[in-house]
Amino acid sequence: MGALKLSSATCLLFLLLLGTQAGKHFWLFRQYVLQQQEERAMKEAPLRLGQLPQRPAPSSSHTLIGSTILQPLDHFNRQDQRTFHQRFWINEQYWRRPSGPIFLYIGGESSLSMYSVLSGHHVELAHKYGALLVALEHRFYGASLNSDGLQDQNLLFLSSQQALSDLVAFHWFVTQKYNLTPNNTWICFGGSYPGSLAAWFRLKFPHLVFAAVASSAPVRAEVDFKGYNQCRNAVAEAFSTVDSLIHTGQLEKLVKDFCSCGFLNGTADLVDLVSSLADIFMGAVQYNDEGISWGNVASLCHIMTNRTCDPYQRLMFVNKMFLRGMMMDCLNNNHQDSLEELRNTTVFVWGVGMRQWFFQTCTEFGYYQTSEDSTCLFSRLMSLLPQVDTCMEIFNISQDSIQKAVAFTNEYYGADHPKASRVLFVNGDIDPWHTLSVLKNQSHSELALLINGTAHCANMMSSLPTDPLPLVLGKKWISGQVGEWLELAQKMTGDR
């Protein structure tokens, strides 16, 4: 990012606070990024393990262990005997037995794999500090749910509170498996929603986890996340033209210009169209330089500042570039298809959990990105009402219930002033979610690090020779902080 030319840097300022969950096409973008990250991790893994086992067995004789733990479906009702199998992975390769630390990687709103303990900055830190690496997939995502888990009545057991209780049970399981003692210091790591979970695990269970690195963690829940979408000029002009065509009823032109799979029937389909177009920019900003050369800030800025054609035509080109990159023939803007996708209770053990995460936004977090603010570049059709209406259409959850749920979440965890200790909040200033995280030191042990020119969770990736200097220095700072915590833990244990 430091090498961007002036025009791209200027455009970057306009795009600084774009968004992520506006429409379904963002999820396609996110899935593509996850696939790229998985492929990168697959290349790294053999180098770390020598020869990667194809099917890691749940046996302590293996360096890499993959299995499941039986968890209560409801941790808060011991009369309920229902259970589910939750996936976990363990990498013993770097552990300095028996007193080395435990690094816990927390899963989130997508499936997890064995690469969660084979690749990433936390793995580099485990190598440096002799840690046992353990990772737990989030309940109701990936394969960590029952076959009927996505049905409405069972989604009631999907919450951050239940997820934290899963971590408590997993902590006990690992402790028993390896005969751990207070000499084994636990530090947890997470990014995005799992970053929040990492901070909250330390906040709510300080006797179990000594410290946490919370990357890109939006710990402040918010129903109407206007700050996500503040932007300007060329992109704004392009979306203004789209709105004008909608207002004058030129829908056939929009269908043709933006390769819609079908006709646009009613306001709901139009909202899906403008949301899909906005998703391209949202995904580029959130996942800038994370393996998508055609979909990063620099490439989009280069197109949107090209004065050889008007902004509307530039937006058409961006959309076609997105379709080519995603190997799609057209944009499906049928709102009923979107609703059916969210209603689908079929369990997929891979990829992102769109239905599950949407349920959590309705019942805990909000995070709905809108364009009602006069400073925003996107279509004014992207308002709060269509998004909260979807909660009612899919889960029968009202806007009032969402408001109350978000308020409870912030009261329960402390929002962006959680007052925890030994938590490091790491953010990139390109990441739009950083506005909902902790950006300044709250105390001598509740710390914040803002890395210039980096996107969402960039610090969690394995180091590359091409990493920009601010990211290199940021990772070095994180490593040093982890080292300080481990020294402090050793001293505190020795003083007992």
Side-chain angles (χ1 to χ4, degrees):
M1 284 307 302
L4 289 180
K5 296 180 180 179
L6 180 60
S7 60
S8 295
T10 302
C11 187
L12 175 61
L13 294 176
F14 298 152
L15 298 177
L16 188 58
L17 291 175
L18 296 181
T20 111
Q21 263 112 258
K24 60 187 176 184
H25 286 92
F26 174 83
W27 288 89
L28 296 176
F29 202 116
R30 175 177 167 80
Q31 180 62 44
Y32 187 92
V33 170
L34 289 176
Q35 290 174 348
Q36 295 297 305
Q37 293 174 346
E38 191 90 344
E39 290 176 8
R40 175 177 163 182
M42 288 174 65
K43 294 177 181 178
E44 293 176 4
L47 298 176
R48 294 186 182 279
L49 282 180
Q51 184 175 0
L52 185 64
Q54 294 298 313
R55 293 187 178 181
S59 167
S60 59
S61 64
H62 290 76
T63 297
L64 181 65
I65 300 169
S67 190
T68 63
I69 178 176
L70 195 65
Q71 291 275 20
L73 188 63
D74 185 0
H75 285 280
F76 307 119
N77 179 8
R78 292 299 177 180
Q79 301 305 311
D80 189 337
Q81 298 299 307
R82 289 176 294 175
T83 58
F84 72 98
H85 288 273
Q86 189 169 26
R87 290 197 298 186
F88 70 85
W89 286 268
I90 299 176
N91 183 358
E92 304 172 347
Q93 182 182 18
Y94 308 118
W95 191 32
R96 296 173 190 161
R97 298 173 183 265
S99 59
I102 316 299
F103 286 179
L104 167 63
Y105 183 88
I106 300 174
E109 67 275 27
S110 62
S111 63
L112 212 59
S113 76
M114 59 185 172
Y115 298 108
S116 58
V117 294
L118 291 174
S119 176
H121 188 231
H122 63 293
V123 177
E124 295 173 5
L125 293 177
H127 189 188
K128 179 177 181 178
Y129 294 112
L132 177 69
L133 284 158
V134 300
L136 185 68
E137 187 172 67
H138 196 294
R139 63 167 47 209
F140 286 75
Y141 292 94
S144 295
L145 74 169
N146 296 324
S147 60
D148 60 353
L150 297 187
Q151 295 179 11
D152 287 6
Q153 68 272 20
N154 291 324
L155 283 178
L156 297 176
F157 302 103
L158 170 58
S159 70
S160 58
Q161 289 88 12
Q162 295 280 6
L164 291 176
S165 298
D166 290 338
L167 292 172
V168 172
F170 183 59
H171 183 286
W172 171 254
F173 169 80
V174 173
T175 298
Q176 296 301 302
K177 178 177 178 62
Y178 291 100
N179 296 316
L180 302 181
T181 72
N183 291 327
N184 300 105
T185 304
W186 285 70
I187 297 179
C188 57
F189 299 80
S192 196
Y193 165 51
S196 297
L197 289 175
W200 295 337
F201 194 32
R202 168 61 191 162
L203 174 70
K204 296 296 184 178
F205 300 95
H207 59 294
L208 298 182
V209 60
F210 189 79
V213 178
S215 300
S216 301
V219 288
R220 174 163 57 88
E222 191 166 304
V223 176
D224 188 353
F225 190 6
K226 293 186 178 72
Y228 203 89
N229 285 330
Q230 295 170 0
C231 33
R232 288 287 189 278
N233 296 347
V235 180
E237 187 175 342
F239 276 90
S240 178
T241 302
V242 172
D243 280 353
S244 295
L245 292 172
I246 291 173
H247 182 70
T248 55
Q250 299 184 59
L251 304 189
E252 291 185 7
K253 178 175 175 57
L254 290 170
V255 169
K256 179 182 178 181
D257 289 348
F258 295 107
C259 307
S260 181
C261 296
F263 196 71
L264 301 168
N265 297 301
T267 302
D269 284 7
L270 292 170
V271 171
D272 272 28
L273 168 64
V274 296
S275 296
S276 294
L277 295 175
D279 284 347
I280 301 170
F281 295 90
M282 294 175 178
V285 172
Q286 176 150 331
Y287 296 110
N288 183 59
D289 286 338
E290 291 189 29
I292 303 183
S293 59
W294 51 263
N296 60 16
V297 172
S299 61
L300 292 188
C301 287
H302 177 74
I303 295 170
M304 294 308 297
T305 56
N306 183 352
R307 297 185 179 275
T308 60
C309 56
D310 65 61
Y312 179 80
Q313 291 174 311
R314 300 172 212 166
L315 182 60
M316 290 170 54
F317 186 85
V318 165
N319 178 59
K320 290 176 181 178
M321 181 179 68
F322 171 80
L323 291 175
R324 285 196 303 269
M326 300 297 294
M327 294 181 288
M328 297 166 57
D329 295 325
C330 57
L331 289 180
N332 184 357
N333 301 307
N334 186 296
H335 184 62
Q336 288 304 314
D337 286 350
S338 299
L339 294 180
E340 287 308 308
E341 190 171 354
L342 286 171
R343 291 188 180 113
N344 187 357
T345 59
T346 304
V347 173
F348 296 97
V349 299
W350 50 268
V352 297
M354 187 171 170
R355 172 174 167 84
Q356 301 96 300
W357 180 245
F358 195 82
F359 176 80
Q360 286 196 265
T361 67
C362 296
T363 56
E364 292 192 87
F365 306 122
Y367 297 146
Y368 304 117
Q369 293 85 56
T370 68
S371 295
E372 299 175 63
D373 193 298
S374 60
T375 64
C376 183
L377 64 88
F378 296 136
S379 171
R380 295 298 177 266
L381 285 178
M382 293 172 59
S383 62
L384 179 62
L385 186 59
Q387 302 188 67
V388 296
D389 279 351
T390 303
C391 288
M392 176 61 74
E393 292 176 290
I394 303 300
F395 301 116
N396 198 32
I397 297 174
S398 68
Q399 182 173 349
D400 182 62
S401 295
I402 298 170
Q403 296 278 4
K404 291 178 180 177
V406 168
F408 172 80
T409 298
N410 286 329
E411 287 293 321
Y412 188 78
Y413 294 120
D416 51 0
H417 291 82
K419 297 192 182 302
S421 62
R422 292 195 291 275
V423 177
L424 173 60
F425 292 93
V426 184
N427 288 279
D429 63 359
I430 294 177
D431 179 18
W433 289 101
H434 82 269
T435 61
L436 296 183
S437 189
V438 177
L439 303 178
K440 295 181 180 179
N441 292 352
Q442 302 298 303
S443 67
H444 70 280
S445 65
E446 191 176 38
L447 307 172
L449 171 63
L450 187 64
I451 305 176
N452 180 49
T454 59
H456 195 65
C457 299
N459 64 283
M460 299 189 71
M461 303 295 291
S462 296
S463 299
L464 292 174
T466 55
D467 285 345
L469 181 59
L471 181 56
V472 173
L473 295 177
K475 288 183 175 181
K476 184 177 181 181
W477 199 93
I478 295 167
S479 177
Q481 183 58 60
V482 169
E484 288 184 20
W485 283 333
L486 293 175
E487 289 179 4
L488 177 61
Q490 188 177 30
K491 182 177 182 301
M492 292 175 65
T493 302
D495 289 342
R496 290 175 184 169

